[in-house]
Amino acid sequence: MPMTKAQLLAWIDKQNAVFLDKKEYLTDLDAAIGDADHGINMNRGFAKVMEKLPTVADKDLPAILKTVGMTLMSSVGGASGPLYGTFWMKGAMALDGKTEMTTADFKAFLEAAVGGIVQRGRPELGDKTMYDLWGPVLAAVKAADDTAPLAEVVAAALPVAEAALAATIPLQARKGRASYLGERSIGHPDPGATSSLYMLQTLREALDI
Amino acid sequence: MPMTKAQLLAWIDKQNAVFLDKKEYLTDLDAAIGDADHGINMNRGFAKVMEKLPTVADKDLPAILKTVGMTLMSSVGGASGPLYGTFWMKGAMALDGKTEMTTADFKAFLEAAVGGIVQRGRPELGDKTMYDLWGPVLAAVKAADDTAPLAEVVAAALPVAEAALAATIPLQARKGRASYLGERSIGHPDPGATSSLYMLQTLREALDI
Amino acid sequence: MKKLINNVEDVVQEQLQGMALAHPELTVKFDPCYVVRADAPVKGKVALVSGGGSGHEPMHGGFVGQGMLDGACPGAVFTSPTPDQMYECAKAVDGGAGVLFIVKNYTGDVMNFETAAELVAAEGIKVQNILIDDDVAVKNSLWTAGRRGVGTTVLAEKIVGAAAEAGYDLDQCADLCRKVNQYGRSFGVALTSCTVPAAGKPTFVLGEDEVEMGIGIHGEPGTHRMPIKSVDEMTAYAAAQIIDDPAYTRVVREWDGQGWADKTLTDAPFAKGDQVIAFVNSMGGTPVSELYAVYRKLDEVCKAKGLTIVRNLVGPYITSLEMQGFSITLLKADDEILKFWDAPAKTPGFVR
Amino acid sequence: MKKLINNVEDVVQEQLQGMALAHPELTVKFDPCYVVRADAPVKGKVALVSGGGSGHEPMHGGFVGQGMLDGACPGAVFTSPTPDQMYECAKAVDGGAGVLFIVKNYTGDVMNFETAAELVAAEGIKVQNILIDDDVAVKNSLWTAGRRGVGTTVLAEKIVGAAAEAGYDLDQCADLCRKVNQYGRSFGVALTSCTVPAAGKPTFVLGEDEVEMGIGIHGEPGTHRMPIKSVDEMTAYAAAQIIDDPAYTRVVREWDGQGWADKTLTDAPFAKGDQVIAFVNSMGGTPVSELYAVYRKLDEVCKAKGLTIVRNLVGPYITSLEMQGFSITLLKADDEILKFWDAPAKTPGFVR
Ligand SMILES: Nc1ncnc2c1ncn2[C@@H]1O[C@H](COP(=O)(O)OP(=O)(O)O)[C@@H](O)[C@H]1O
Ligand SMILES: Nc1ncnc2c1ncn2[C@@H]1O[C@H](COP(=O)(O)OP(=O)(O)O)[C@@H](O)[C@H]1O
Ligand SMILES: [Mg+2]
Ligand SMILES: [Mg+2]
Ligand SMILES: [Mg+2]
Ligand SMILES: [Mg+2]
């Protein structure tokens, strides 16, 4: 079954909820190896998204996704702002005119979205960034059968994402602010990879409704 | 017996010693109601006087006194610098050409010297300044017989000075930095009156040699 | 936290409102937030835009004005501004000759300004991004996000601002800005931490006799912590870090008109006989009197190493809120750089 | 005590050495110590000399240069300089039109400058002493040494400096300086203490949430201590102290050519409709960003009270070492004052 517009709106809504809930936790993660603002940034961004959403809720999927991207882009700031902004905007472009999202559509969406992160941030696997999560997740999603229901595909990607997040812990950061810490960045999960896991978890939940 | 040049030099020497010895005490007094520098100022000034003294030690009394005054003037700074500087310089002018100082000479010296303080600082009695000491002391000295030995005259003025210093304690300052404290200046002796008492005490000792 | 503020959420906005009231020669816009010359756009002149997190005042908003920036985009305290601010600001200042973004090398700033450049280019406005990455406390670019942009930013905004005023076109401005960046190196020392208003507590804690060496401008940890030494010793150390720094190579991304192109840049080390502009900066809480003690020793060290200080700047220009400490920037100065350094500037934070 | 210093005994001298190295347009002399324009004496121009304890930088040495002071005499930290410094400085800058001493009203400064004036007059040089006594935190002159000289000093040095440059004679300069002083009023607030290097410990101790209201510029106690409030509240309080201050009368001593003559001066209070120059000053450790929050509220208060701010100055100009805090100065501005306020100035600490 493809993702409906109601499910997409539920996904966005759940992300807003989780970033309010995890604001302090994400900020603490960022305090350890960054500048203690990632949770604040994500919370500010999704609060703004919720403000904007009513103006496009009756539009098609890409219009909604683009609004999410543009709003994150103009309200999150820092490194994660343009990364997530690009993620949603590039993803939107892959869904031209669609009103629901099949598994095949989701593959195209995610490939474009993750491509946006790579293009903007130029992370490599092992740099200890959100891409350390999205790289394996994208691979898992692309490997799925186009005929498999989207909910199943996302559910199957979740353990991959969890493992990927855990795998960032022993890494020494080579991108972003954490890289200035050198060896002191070892032993902490990456804040951006953590927020990315929340995005996938909330998608899984939204597809249940 | 008039004051000899040796005695004058001894007086200056003893003042240098006392202001080194009492540097911290005078500074503490000034910390209570001023800006915590009176002891430092006096010590710096007399150390400079000792440096300069050899160059005039063979001159007459007023030349020596003038050098003390000019040196204090240019090294003490703050309020006490010009006050004590004027004290010695005006005093010197009253002794034109003298090579020793009789009781009558001392009267003239002290009248001019204290006049210098009054002219410069315009203190009134009860303002809680060094003049609260020099006013009564000058009166006592002037009341002495011109034929009385100088040592006796000075000795007789000492209890007057001590009482005058004690009398500054309950006063509220109306001149200098201490005046900004208003009622909080009450209950402390005036630092300048204290240093002035040391000047008189060392004179008394110097006249013994 | 003792600061002259009302609510922590309103700090940046209220400070900008105060700045707008004090400086009618500037226009401050909110939502999105940017600062421009009141006479913008200046027709035919390349427009200079910079920006970054707030908390470094007078940089950047205080450098908007004749002879320096046309616009500045202030983010939240120590947080990069967003592309919409930069985009609107660029549109407001473009006088037809294009827009140069001067970007301090922090991942967030770089990505936001790159996004903005794409948006601006899509409007048919000529645009270029030049990075400032001059902090020698960051040793390599391979294992990090590269050197941070610090003191050289101020000098670049002054020098390239004057060149734009003198009629340089966008490529010439970009070339000059790149050169200034490649000629400039900085090192910073913190005596105390700073407190981000929203955080409410000091970013780090130093002992009563400790200093942090090699800090950036956001209270990031430096290279090491040590007991405070004399100003001569600390200055000599910082100056040596800069002067003895070897060649530095990294890849930067510049706009080639259509898309992004990688460029490998290598900065030569200082050499005996170089003329330099020396910039002694306060981190915000250190008064100018103490900076002159730094300058005194810096002059001696430069002489000993064969460098001649031909111009200088001493004061609080790129700060970290109320942090006590200083940074030193040395910029190799050729005739072109000196000419524009000496040119007039009329901004709230820098007047010549 | 965390400072950029070597030995406490050498602090002032080394800072001045650094300043001399950084500013070849100034000449710094030691023993006795003073700072003069390198092109002094300027023939035919009235020479302006000020001075006072060190620790208030950039004032006064930083205001030596074209359009402001001809010379400055720095004392030890927070201690008045001595007459020999002033005398030698005056002789070095007199260009035949006489010397104006601008003196902040502290007993020590007043007496040392009076002594200096006598010495200078004895050389046949025309001289005048004008007092600055603008601190409204000191309520009366009968029971105190009178109001302290604070922020108005900076404005007076700028305005009278420009007048001297424009050819005012000594009496005209003195009259203008006296007027500026009578038109100016200030009030200061400390968030933290400062530490005199020679003392090695803070002059006073404030709790983590306490501020001291009505402070001078030497860490003197103010009028009262209170828990820190919002910048709006503290600014409104300070502004009200200044704007609502009633007429102020005191006796000053000026030189009449032969000797000292007493003059009774009464300053009128501010009145609705007055145009003012607003000066928001950092005590040294407060960054300029926070000052703009003060300015924002000050503008509002002035408007509400019927005063129009027509010019402003925001920054660290008359400091107390590294003290955090601010002061506000309002100066009633007429055409003469505005003309000279707007005139050029080229000094290390003030450029226009
Ligand atoms: N070059 C990069 N490529 C991909 N992700 C990055 C890059 N740099 C940083 N990130 C991600 O951004 C996260 C930090 O985001 P955030 O704290 O919001 O921004 P900032 O670092 O500017 O304060 C990091 O945890 C990391 O996942
Ligand atoms: N107007 C004045 N007339 C006479 N003596 C004064 C006057 N003002 C201050 N003094 C004296 O000066 C002393 C303070 O001297 P000092 O601490 O060296 O200078 P400052 O007050 O400038 O720091 C006071 O204790 C007082 O005796
Ligand atoms: Mg962060
Ligand atoms: Mg004192
Ligand atoms: Mg950040
Ligand atoms: Mg003193």
Side-chain angles (χ1 to χ4, degrees), chain B residues 30 35 37-38 41 76-81 83 117 121-123 128-131 175-177 190-193, chain D residues 107-108 111:
Chain B
D30 195 29
D35 59 349
D37 62 0
H38 187 56
N41 293 346
V76 173
S80 54
L83 290 169
I117 289 179
R122 301 209 280 187
K128 193 173 182 126
T129 70
M130 55 177 70
Y131 180 59
K175 286 270 158 40
R177 265 174 215 285
D190 177 61
Chain D
T107 305
M111 292 195 296

Side-chain angles (χ1 to χ4, degrees), chain C residues 292 314 317, chain D residues 19 23 25-26 58 61-65 346-351:
Chain C
Y292 280 120
V314 180
Y317 291 96
Chain D
M19 186 170 172
H23 300 288
E25 69 274 21
L26 303 183
F63 299 149
V64 174
K346 300 264 171 282
T347 75
F350 194 116
V351 185

